[in-house]
Amino acid sequence: MKVQQQISQKAFKPEAGFIKHYQELIKKVVIPYQYAVLNDKAEGNTEKSHVIKNFINAGNVLAGKGADDGFYGMVFQDSDAAKWLEAAAFSLAIFPDKELEATCDKLIDIIAAAQDKDGYLDTYFTIKDQEKRWTNLCEAHELYCAGHMMEAAVAYAEATGKNKLLEVMLKNVNCIYEVFLGKDSKIKDGYPGHPEVELALMKMYRLTGEKKCLELARHFIKVRGVDPAYYEKECKNRGWTVWGSDGKNPAYNQADKPVLEQTDAAGHAVRAVYLYTGMADAASEDDSAESLSLKKACRTLWESITRKRMYVTGGIGSTVLGEAFSVDYDLPGDTAYCETCASIGLMFFASRMLEMDVDSEYSDIMERAFYNTVLAGMQQDGKRFFYVNPLEVIPGISGTSPTQLHDLPERPTWYACACCPPNTARLISSFGKYAYGENESSVFCHLFAAGTVSFANGSQIRCKTEYPYDFKVEYEILKAGKDLKLAVRLPSWSKKNRILKNKEEISADIEKGYAYITIEEGDVISLELDGSPYYIWPSNKIPRLSGQACICRGPLVYCAEGKDNKMDLVSLKLEQGALPQVLAEKDSTLPEGVTALRVSGFRFLQKDEGKSLYFTSCPEKAAEEIKLVPYYSWGNRGPNQMKVWLPVTE
């Protein structure tokens, strides 16, 4: 059962600070740029999308006109339009814009025209082969695309009060219900190869109250993995394929066993955390035995990820083979996958777990994923994006070696498989929903974001902060009911905290990493966190990180870039016990607002360097000052070496 829940998307209004800067970047640059991409009108050498033309072509097919130029792109191409619409909806909620709203309405009209009379909506099959609908659950992403469009419909209805897309997707829900749970269904044991629709159906249910949404979400979760050979049988029966899958690796789809029996986060990382998010959301619906079992399974999988299979940056998915989790403690930095979408999905999962149990363990991970991997997925200009987020890059090897073709030293403008760029846009635009929560008696501050928040219980607060580079957070209580409590997260990385109420230091009740403070209208609550840089040491169970450390400050993981360190990170080592210092001076080569660190270290060099591959003499040891920048900011200055983990000298 939920103990608190996310605020509505219109409840948070950003004010000057880090988060508003990014949300304005999404509105002014990213949303227009991505819409141009979807229309194949982006300037430069940008990968073709054709998403909107696919919807137009599908509408023409249904109208008997025929497709102009057929279908182009991935089987899940529709989802890019859905995520763009959702990002636009979240942006409209905080920055009303009639022109953008009109653009969205026009796109929704195009999407609605592409829906078949029975509610089916998927341009790939409408254009290419309608007879093959629902025959390839393993690969074809019909339910995945439907799920993303459901999320867009919910977001747009909440932002604008307009229900056209919501009505389209309710009709789509009826279609899906008949296919999987109707009396004539022949695939009642079927479930999506790429989980996503589960969490989307829960959003639809909470907004509309349509019980078919809840029933379908629970059904897809319950039947997954009951028959591990389901996809293999499906493959044999259909006789055609999209990706060449034979269905013989059900673990890739989290389908090798029922979800209640799964103990290790396995398979494709994005699919996994999308599934776990849906599971956690369904588990929070009530206190039934079924829901409690589901909650227990979610906790087990959460621990598998965060205690054995997660990078220090909040990245998940350590191998390019299947974009997947591998095994416990296998966390190589140079060949890491860490898809941006996977960290976004981890934030989704954390937020749903947080709704069932207010524990800073979840919000700490949510923060780590956002400020590091998610933000690193987008260049500071909003027009270039990482799909993969390695923790070590050496140009000439990274992006070139057959084992590291996926680890690029520079962000591309777009991708043929473009799931990450619009996903990043929708997450940043909806940040307020993850930062704040509420119930009848308390308001919760999970993440620190400057702005005004209006809660459903009638209270209102204003947060002022320059976080994550300044560590004072102030809450002005504008409205408050009787006996209202403010619950503020105390991050695990902050070793010294001060809480002041109306300028007087107080002792608050601390429970699971949250300080609970009784507030009244007019109160000012100040939280002072520890902004000292600190080391993180890896577990000795991670073989690739033996003898290394990384440096952090607040939620930010720092890395070394070649441009700041003589273009040679390979021979660089941290000095044992060196105290990292904050660089006060600004660096014009870094993105605006970025604060660098420096720490004492050493460089080991050979006298006859370059003449031999190996040496019998000990290298010289030269004292150095190592400069570090936030991981999210790396790669904004051209091709560059980068390392998060650095060896430490004795």
Side-chain angles (χ1 to χ4, degrees):
M1 202 76 172
K2 288 183 187 290
V3 295
Q4 62 93 29
Q5 61 187 11
Q6 289 182 336
I7 60 171
S8 74
Q9 64 191 56
K10 298 181 79 171
F12 174 70
K13 299 298 182 184
E15 296 180 3
F18 188 87
I19 297 303
K20 185 177 183 182
H21 164 75
Y22 267 94
Q23 291 184 329
E24 287 182 330
L25 179 66
I26 298 299
K27 170 184 166 48
K28 295 176 181 178
V29 177
V30 179
I31 288 175
Y33 170 71
Q34 292 189 359
Y35 191 70
V37 171
L38 299 184
N39 280 285
D40 299 331
K41 294 181 179 179
E43 297 178 358
N45 187 25
T46 302
E47 188 77 36
K48 181 179 176 181
S49 170
H50 216 58
V51 167
I52 293 177
K53 190 59 183 295
N54 284 341
F55 279 102
I56 293 172
N57 286 342
N60 287 339
V61 167
L62 294 176
K65 300 177 184 178
D68 179 21
D69 54 359
F71 178 91
Y72 176 87
M74 300 288 184
V75 68
F76 46 78
Q77 207 80 347
D78 290 5
S79 64
D80 289 350
K83 282 182 279 190
W84 181 87
L85 266 172
E86 191 178 3
F90 289 135
S91 184
L92 286 170
I94 50 180
F95 305 120
D97 183 325
K98 292 297 183 182
E99 184 177 348
L100 175 59
E101 189 173 334
T103 300
C104 293
D105 290 342
K106 181 180 178 180
L107 177 55
I108 289 169
D109 288 341
I110 292 171
I111 292 169
Q115 183 173 42
D116 213 337
K117 58 185 178 182
D118 66 349
Y120 185 86
L121 180 60
D122 189 287
T123 68
Y124 180 90
F125 288 99
T126 296
I127 294 170
K128 296 190 72 167
D129 199 336
Q130 297 183 31
E131 297 302 315
K132 291 181 178 178
R133 293 175 177 179
W134 307 121
T135 61
N136 190 345
L137 299 180
C138 180
E139 302 175 302
H141 285 67
E142 289 160 286
L143 290 168
Y144 170 85
C145 289
H148 274 301
M149 199 62 76
M150 290 177 195
E151 289 194 86
V154 169
Y156 199 68
E158 290 184 334
T160 66
K162 296 178 179 178
N163 292 334
K164 182 169 184 175
L165 187 58
L166 190 65
E167 291 167 358
V168 166
M169 295 318 296
L170 281 170
K171 187 176 179 181
N172 184 245
V173 167
N174 286 329
C175 171
I176 295 170
Y177 189 91
E178 289 304 312
V179 169
F180 289 91
L181 291 176
K183 62 180 181 179
D184 297 324
S185 172
K186 297 180 181 179
I187 51 174
K188 288 187 176 180
D189 54 347
Y191 44 90
H194 194 312
E196 207 285 336
V197 75
E198 299 87 346
L199 69 90
L201 284 163
M202 291 304 301
K203 288 186 177 182
M204 289 281 287
Y205 171 67
R206 298 198 193 286
L207 179 65
T208 68
E210 174 52 67
K211 292 186 177 180
K212 287 182 179 179
C213 297
L214 177 61
E215 190 177 348
L216 274 169
R218 285 176 165 170
H219 169 75
F220 288 135
I221 292 168
K222 189 173 183 179
V223 300
R224 175 173 292 275
V226 171
D227 179 4
Y230 179 84
Y231 293 137
E232 183 179 0
K233 295 173 185 176
E234 180 195 67
C235 181
K236 290 179 180 178
N237 289 335
R238 69 173 180 265
W240 65 278
T241 181
V242 175
W243 304 108
S245 172
D246 59 8
K248 292 183 179 180
N249 182 18
Y252 171 80
N253 305 87
Q254 299 77 43
D256 55 327
K257 59 185 71 173
V259 297
L260 295 183
E261 298 176 19
Q262 295 181 24
T263 56
D264 295 317
H268 188 276
V270 178
R271 298 175 194 233
V273 285
Y274 279 8
L275 171 64
Y276 306 157
T277 300
M279 289 167 57
D281 209 355
S284 71
E285 184 57 28
D286 54 43
D287 287 330
S288 65
E290 181 180 359
S291 293
L292 292 174
S293 296
L294 203 54
K295 179 180 178 181
K296 183 179 179 181
C298 289
R299 178 63 197 180
T300 298
L301 293 164
W302 172 266
E303 291 180 358
S304 172
I305 294 174
T306 60
R307 299 184 183 183
K308 300 175 183 178
R309 301 188 174 188
M310 183 185 73
Y311 285 85
V312 70
T313 55
I316 55 174
S318 56
T319 176
V320 65
L321 301 176
E323 304 177 320
F325 294 101
S326 55
V327 295
D328 292 349
Y329 310 112
D330 178 34
L331 298 166
D334 57 345
T335 59
Y337 203 75
C338 295
E339 183 178 340
T340 304
C341 284
S343 287
I344 290 170
L346 182 59
M347 289 184 66
F348 295 163
F349 184 26
S351 72
R352 301 310 190 278
M353 293 298 288
L354 194 59
E355 289 188 332
M356 291 188 288
D357 184 13
V358 181
D359 189 325
S360 63
E361 177 181 354
Y362 303 118
S363 38
D364 279 349
I365 296 298
M366 194 160 61
E367 178 180 72
R368 180 181 296 251
F370 177 78
Y371 280 102
N372 297 291
T373 301
V374 175
L375 290 186
M378 184 175 71
Q379 191 127 310
Q380 297 293 299
D381 65 2
K383 293 185 178 182
R384 302 179 74 91
F385 304 88
F386 273 142
Y387 190 102
V388 175
N389 295 276
L391 280 74
E392 178 178 330
V393 166
I394 304 296
I397 298 176
S398 303
T400 304
S401 167
T403 59
Q404 292 174 237
L405 288 174
H406 57 289
D407 289 318
L408 303 179
E410 289 187 282
R411 296 171 180 84
T413 54
W414 202 252
Y415 296 87
C417 174
C419 52
C420 296
N423 219 1
T424 302
R426 68 173 180 146
L427 190 284
I428 292 173
S429 293
S430 61
F431 186 84
K433 291 170 66 69
Y434 300 89
Y436 296 98
E438 61 184 322
N439 61 27
E440 291 184 357
S441 59
S442 301
V443 296
F444 298 86
C445 301
H446 307 302
L447 306 175
F448 307 117
T452 300
V453 191
S454 301
F455 297 91
N457 60 22
S459 59
Q460 187 179 69
I461 66 171
R462 174 179 290 127
C463 175
K464 297 179 182 178
T465 184
E466 293 298 322
Y467 193 84
Y469 290 110
D470 185 79
F471 298 91
K472 180 178 179 180
V473 187
E474 182 179 281
Y475 299 98
E476 182 182 356
I477 313 304
L478 304 178
K479 296 180 183 178
K482 186 178 181 181
D483 298 325
L484 183 71
K485 288 193 174 182
L486 173 69
V488 182
R489 176 177 64 99
L490 303 177
S492 59
W493 50 258
S494 180
K495 303 308 179 186
K496 299 176 182 178
N497 304 307
R498 291 182 71 220
I499 302 173
L500 295 87
K501 184 175 182 179
N502 301 324
K503 299 183 179 181
E504 296 288 334
E505 188 167 357
I506 62 170
S507 296
D509 294 331
I510 310 297
E511 184 177 349
K512 294 185 178 181
Y514 280 76
Y516 288 79
I517 308 155
T518 301
I519 54 174
E520 297 179 351
E521 187 173 314
D523 284 343
V524 176
I525 307 299
S526 297
L527 174 64
E528 296 177 3
L529 302 170
D530 186 353
S532 305
Y534 57 93
Y535 283 85
I536 287 185
W537 302 88
S539 165
N540 58 14
K541 296 178 182 178
I542 307 175
R544 298 289 289 271
L545 299 182
S546 177
Q548 301 184 69
C550 73
I551 294 175
C552 303
R553 184 179 182 231
L556 301 178
V557 174
Y558 277 70
C559 65
E561 281 197 280
K563 286 188 180 295
D564 304 312
N565 298 282
K566 300 181 181 179
M567 295 304 292
D568 175 23
L569 302 186
V570 177
S571 67
L572 211 58
K573 300 185 189 301
L574 295 169
E575 181 183 2
Q576 179 76 44
L579 184 65
Q581 301 291 323
V582 178
L583 275 171
E585 66 269 21
K586 298 299 180 182
D587 187 334
S588 61
T589 70
L590 291 172
E592 185 179 354
V594 169
T595 297
L597 302 178
R598 64 185 174 194
V599 64
S600 298
F602 295 92
R603 191 181 305 277
F604 290 82
L605 300 173
Q606 293 286 353
K607 289 182 180 179
D608 55 346
E609 185 178 5
K611 294 181 180 180
S612 300
L613 189 57
Y614 303 102
F615 302 90
T616 57
S617 60
C618 181
E620 291 185 345
K621 179 180 177 181
E624 297 279 352
E625 184 175 85
I626 301 171
K627 184 174 178 179
L628 305 170
V629 298
Y631 174 77
Y632 81 83
S633 71
W634 89 270
N636 278 273
R637 297 178 286 176
N640 206 356
Q641 295 182 359
M642 183 276 291
K643 289 187 75 174
V644 168
W645 295 99
L646 293 171
V648 180
T649 63
E650 294 183 359

